[in-house]
Amino acid sequence: MEPCPSDLQACTVRPDTPLVIVDVDEVLARFMHGFGTFIGRHGFELRVDRFALFQNIYRPGETEHLDLIAGRALFDDFFRDGADDLLPAEGAADALADLSARADVVILTNAPEHGRQSRIRWLKTHGFDYPLVINSGPKGPSAAHLSERTASPSVFIDDLLPQLNSVADSAPRVSRFQMVADERLRPLAPSDPERHARIDLWPDLKAAIERKLFP
């Protein structure tokens, strides 16, 4: 499924201004922490023992993770009833606020469409009131569409290696950064530092982004 065309069209990307394209979950928001709290209210527990989502959901006392269909149902319910309770990643709002003084910022997230309004509310509540693109699948085509609208440097930040690879393939001139907000996930996250810089703390990430955007 393609990203919502109206989302891409509504984004303000000035042709002479650097661009920051940024993911939400585990970059701006501590998704695993919030999702774990949500499923706990429904009688399940999250065990962060692999870099995955549904394979980390268990019934208390059981050794086999929840089946993927049931996990997907909890994920969908979370975006209906629990997504407003996510905590922001430390330092993310301040970093983007500083960057947005000299760059355009676009949020590119793979949230489900039925979670659009809760995602918008959460972003505004926590200081991330920037244009939003709801995407599905690989983010490379959307990142390419956005970055082609400016002649200035662009950067892309995501926690997932496949999404970073997608942007590298579709928009190779965009600089890429991997960032994982949850401390439990950091040692488990697949990375390719020779291809995509890995920086997990927002103050350090902001400084690296500035070096790419404002050389």
Side-chain angles (χ1 to χ4, degrees), residues 130-200:
Y130 305 104
L132 173 66
V133 175
I134 299 288
N135 190 76
S136 179
K139 294 181 179 178
S142 292
H145 184 284
L146 293 165
S147 64
E148 287 165 0
R149 291 159 61 181
T150 180
S152 296
S154 300
V155 300
F156 172 77
I157 308 109
D158 205 287
D159 61 315
L160 299 179
L161 184 59
Q163 297 294 7
L164 294 156
N165 288 338
S166 175
V167 172
D169 294 340
S170 297
R173 77 180 187 92
V174 175
S175 298
R176 301 165 306 278
F177 294 94
Q178 184 177 24
M179 193 276 181
V180 181
D182 193 299
E183 297 89 344
R184 300 166 298 175
L185 286 174
R186 288 174 185 168
L188 304 173
S191 299
D192 186 354
E194 293 187 1
R195 199 176 191 201
H196 324 290
R198 170 77 182 270
I199 304 174
D200 291 330

Side-chain angles (χ1 to χ4, degrees), residues 20 22 63 152 194:
V20 178
V22 59
T63 58
S152 296
E194 293 187 1

Side-chain angles (χ1 to χ4, degrees), residues 7-209:
D7 286 352
L8 288 172
Q9 294 164 5
C11 290
T12 299
V13 178
R14 292 168 289 180
D16 58 351
T17 302
L19 174 63
V20 178
I21 306 169
V22 59
D23 181 33
V24 176
D25 297 312
E26 294 309 332
V27 176
L28 303 182
R30 296 186 59 195
F31 177 83
M32 291 294 276
H33 180 275
F35 185 67
T37 299
F38 173 79
I39 68 169
R41 294 199 295 266
H42 290 77
F44 300 96
E45 61 185 37
L46 194 70
R47 303 175 196 166
V48 183
D49 51 17
R50 70 191 84 184
F51 193 75
L53 179 56
F54 304 132
Q55 295 93 332
N56 285 337
I57 304 172
Y58 293 83
R59 291 184 175 87
E62 295 191 359
T63 58
E64 291 294 324
H65 63 73
L66 199 65
D67 68 83
L68 299 186
I69 293 175
R72 170 61 68 176
L74 284 169
F75 177 83
D76 287 341
D77 288 345
F78 173 76
F79 274 95
R80 291 187 182 92
D81 305 320
D84 288 333
D85 296 331
L86 290 170
L87 297 175
E90 185 175 356
D94 289 343
L96 280 191
D98 288 348
L99 290 167
S100 69
R102 293 188 286 167
D104 289 328
V105 175
V106 174
I107 295 173
L108 180 59
T109 179
N110 272 15
E113 182 60 35
H114 69 261
R116 176 182 291 271
Q117 293 308 313
S118 63
R119 178 117 294 184
I120 290 172
R121 285 194 304 271
W122 186 89
L123 289 166
K124 289 184 176 180
T125 296
H126 293 284
F128 304 113
D129 191 7
Y130 305 104
L132 173 66
V133 175
I134 299 288
N135 190 76
S136 179
K139 294 181 179 178
S142 292
H145 184 284
L146 293 165
S147 64
E148 287 165 0
R149 291 159 61 181
T150 180
S152 296
S154 300
V155 300
F156 172 77
I157 308 109
D158 205 287
D159 61 315
L160 299 179
L161 184 59
Q163 297 294 7
L164 294 156
N165 288 338
S166 175
V167 172
D169 294 340
S170 297
R173 77 180 187 92
V174 175
S175 298
R176 301 165 306 278
F177 294 94
Q178 184 177 24
M179 193 276 181
V180 181
D182 193 299
E183 297 89 344
R184 300 166 298 175
L185 286 174
R186 288 174 185 168
L188 304 173
S191 299
D192 186 354
E194 293 187 1
R195 199 176 191 201
H196 324 290
R198 170 77 182 270
I199 304 174
D200 291 330
L201 300 176
W202 264 104
D204 297 335
L205 178 57
K206 176 195 164 191
I209 291 171

